[in-house]
Amino acid sequence: MAKTFKNMDKRVERSKAAVLRETYRQLSKNGISGVSIDVVSRTSGVSKTTIYRHWPSRSALLIDACSRLASVPMAPDTGSLRGDLCKLLKELASQLETANWSAVYPSIIDAAERDSEIRIMQAALHKAFMAPFGTVFNLAKNRGEIRSNKATTALLATSVGPLFYRRWFSREKIDGQFVEAIAETIVQTAYARSTK
Amino acid sequence: MAKTFKNMDKRVERSKAAVLRETYRQLSKNGISGVSIDVVSRTSGVSKTTIYRHWPSRSALLIDACSRLASVPMAPDTGSLRGDLCKLLKELASQLETANWSAVYPSIIDAAERDSEIRIMQAALHKAFMAPFGTVFNLAKNRGEIRSNKATTALLATSVGPLFYRRWFSREKIDGQFVEAIAETIVQTAYARSTK
C-alpha cells in the first residue's frame, strides 16, 4: 500500500514536471501571451483535467513557470561599493545579454499591466532579482560610502535602470566600459552632498 | 467625375480612420497581442478585404497604429543642462504616469523580441522619443557643460533608464524629487573627469 502511494506520488511529480517543462518552453519561445494550455496538454501528454487539478488557472501555471526563470546572483563582498557594484552589474549585463528570462521578461511586464495576479508575481520576481543590490547598498552604508540621508531606492533605479534601458529600449550593447561608468556614477552620487 | 473621385477618396479616408481608431482602441486596452483583425473588422464595420487592401499585413496595421502613440515633447532651451533635463524628465515622468502609450509600450517591446518588423518600428519610435534629449545634450556640449570625451549615449541611458525602471519594473512613483536627483546626477557625471 505504501509502495503504491509512493508510485502515485512519483507519477504525479513526473506529470507536473512535464507540464512545467513544456510551459517554460512555450514561455521562452513565445512569451506569456503565447502559452496555451491546449498546446501544453498536447505536447506534455498530460490531460487538461490533470493540469487544472494542480494549477487552478492559467495564471497560476504561468506564475509557477515564471518563478523558475530567476537566477538570482549572490551578493558579492569585495570591500567597496565600486567593486561590489561592478561585479553585480557585470553579472546582470551578462544575464541580460544571454539568459532565457531576458527575452521573456517583457511579456511578464506587459501581462502585469492588465492582470493583477501576474502583477503580484512580477513584484515578487523583481524583489528577488534586486535583493543582492539591497545587500550591497547596506554594506556600503555601514562603511560610510553612502550618506545616511540618501535613498537607496534612487541609487538602485540609477544602477539597474540604464542596463534595462539598453537591453529592452535602445537595444544597445552593454559593455564593460558602460557598466564601469555606471558604477562610478553611483559611487559619486552616493557620497555627494544633496543640493537640497 | 471629379466629384465622384473626391467622394470615393473621402470614403476611403473615413474607412481607414475607423480601422486605425479601432486598432488603437484595442491596442490601448489589450496590448499588441490583443489586437485581432477579425474584431477590428467587426467593430469598425470595414471588411477584412478592405483592411488588407490598405495594410498588407497585421504587422503593417499595428505599426501604423503604434506610430500614432508617440507624443514627442519639444526640446526645451532654458540655458542650462540641469534646467533642460528637469523639464524634459518631468514631461516624460508625467507621460509615463498618465499617457496611453505607457501601458502599451511593454507589448511593443515584447513583440519586438520575436518580430523583426515590429523591432524596426520600435527602434523608430524610440529614436523619435529620445530626439529632444539629443538636442539638449548637444546644447550642453556647446556650452561646455559636458566634457568633450563623454559619450552622450551613456548619459541618455542614465537619464531615462531610471524613469523607465520605476514605471515598468519596480512600479514606484516617479516624483519631482526623484527627477531632480537624476538631473543632478547627470550634471555631475557630464562634467566629471573620467577615472580611466
Side-chain angles (χ1 to χ4, degrees), chain A residues 81 85 88-89 126 130-162 186-187 189-192 194, chain B residues 162 165-166 170 172-173 177-178 181-182 185:
Chain A
L81 177 56
L85 269 183
L88 264 185
L89 290 175
H126 179 76
M130 295 302 119
F133 286 91
T135 308
V136 159
F137 287 137
N138 280 337
L139 290 171
K141 221 159 195 171
N142 292 340
R143 280 190 304 259
E145 290 180 286
I146 301 178
R147 279 189 195 271
S148 55
N149 64 342
K150 287 274 170 188
T152 53
T153 53
L155 293 178
L156 178 55
T158 316
S159 305
V160 176
I186 300 300
V187 168
T189 302
Y191 200 67
S194 287
Chain B
Y165 168 89
R166 285 218 161 168
S170 71
E172 291 163 276
K173 195 126 193 69
Q177 209 190 340
F178 178 70
I182 300 294
T185 293

Side-chain angles (χ1 to χ4, degrees), chain A residues 78-134:
Chain A
T78 64
S80 75
L81 177 56
R82 185 193 311 270
D84 286 354
L85 269 183
C86 274
K87 223 168 165 177
L88 264 185
L89 290 175
K90 277 178 185 170
E91 169 64 27
L92 178 60
S94 143
Q95 288 205 21
L96 285 172
E97 301 217 311
T98 59
N100 242 341
W101 67 261
S102 117
V104 176
Y105 209 60
S107 75
I108 299 177
I109 301 277
D110 175 41
E113 290 288 329
R114 282 169 294 277
D115 180 328
S116 62
E117 277 186 89
I118 302 280
R119 189 152 59 243
I120 291 166
M121 183 269 292
Q122 188 218 326
L125 264 184
H126 179 76
K127 204 176 154 191
F129 272 137
M130 295 302 119
F133 286 91

Side-chain angles (χ1 to χ4, degrees), chain B residues 104-117:
Chain B
V104 176
Y105 209 61
S107 75
I108 299 177
I109 301 277
D110 175 41
E113 290 289 328
R114 283 170 291 278
D115 180 329
S116 62
E117 278 187 88

Side-chain angles (χ1 to χ4, degrees), chain A residues 181 185 189, chain B residues 150 155 158 184-193:
Chain A
T185 292
T189 302
Chain B
K150 287 275 169 185
L155 293 179
T158 316
E184 172 67 23
T185 293
I186 299 301
V187 168
Q188 299 300 334
T189 303
Y191 201 68
R193 243 174 253 287

Side-chain angles (χ1 to χ4, degrees), chain A residues 131 148 155 167 179 188:
Chain A
S148 55
L155 293 178
R167 170 61 183 83
V179 165
Q188 298 300 334

Side-chain angles (χ1 to χ4, degrees), chain A residues 29 114 122 171 180 196, chain B residues 29 122 171 180 196:
Chain A
K29 202 174 147 213
R114 282 169 294 277
Q122 188 218 326
R171 300 186 185 276
E180 282 160 30
K196 37 173 58 197
Chain B
K29 202 174 146 212
Q122 188 217 327
R171 299 185 186 276
E180 282 160 28
K196 38 172 56 191

